[in-house]
Structures are given as C-alpha cells and as structure tokens.
Amino acid sequence: MTNNKLNFSPNRLRQLRKKHRFSQQFLSDLLGRLGLQVNQSTISRYETGKEIPEMPVLKAFTVILDTTVEYLQGRKV
C-alpha cells in the first residue's frame, strides 16, 4: 500500500505560500478556520522538509493555495 503523505515537496509549498503573499502565521490561521490546528512552527517544519503533512492538511493546502495534491507531492509541474 502506498502512503501518499511520503511524497511531498517542501519547496512547492513555500513557493505557493509566497506567491499568495501569505505569512506562515496567516496560513496557519487559515488552516485553523478549516478545523485543522497547525501552528506556524509546524508550517516552517513542512517548508524545510523536517515534517511531512498528513493528507487532510495537504488537501486543505490545495483549497487555500489553489493547487492540487499532485503538485504539492512533486508529481505534476
């Protein structure tokens, strides 16, 4: 069985966040509005590759950052 959360591109997350001009804290706040408690330091760990987001968080990123799970996983250009 493939674990989708293992495929993740930290650079793509960081680039999309910056493209939208969101701070890590603002992104954290938006996730909170969707019912996901992810603090700013966790966003930082995602962007540095020290931690990999679970699928619910990845899916929330797609809504907030107008992208796809495949793109955040590095599978689609």
Side-chain angles (χ1 to χ4, degrees), residues 63-74:
V63 173
I64 294 168
L65 300 171
D66 190 30
T67 191
T68 64
V69 169
E70 291 81 10
Y71 184 79
L72 288 173
Q73 290 179 321

Side-chain angles (χ1 to χ4, degrees), residues 29-42:
D29 293 344
L30 291 174
L31 288 169
R33 291 181 190 173
L34 295 175
L36 298 165
Q37 299 305 311
V38 179
N39 61 35
Q40 177 274 323
S41 63
T42 301

Side-chain angles (χ1 to χ4, degrees), residues 7 25 35 72 76-77:
N7 300 321
Q25 184 60 55
L72 288 173
K76 185 177 178 182
V77 178

Side-chain angles (χ1 to χ4, degrees), residues 6-50:
L6 295 177
N7 300 321
F8 177 67
S9 175
N11 291 331
R12 288 186 178 185
L13 174 61
R14 183 175 36 257
Q15 289 169 351
L16 285 170
R17 179 182 59 78
K18 288 183 176 187
K19 176 183 172 184
H20 284 80
R21 298 179 183 217
F22 294 163
S23 67
Q24 290 177 343
Q25 184 60 55
F26 186 73
L27 184 55
S28 170
D29 293 344
L30 291 174
L31 288 169
R33 291 181 190 173
L34 295 175
L36 298 165
Q37 299 305 311
V38 179
N39 61 35
Q40 177 274 323
S41 63
T42 301
I43 301 288
S44 177
R45 288 194 302 274
Y46 292 159
E47 290 186 359
T48 58
K50 294 178 181 173

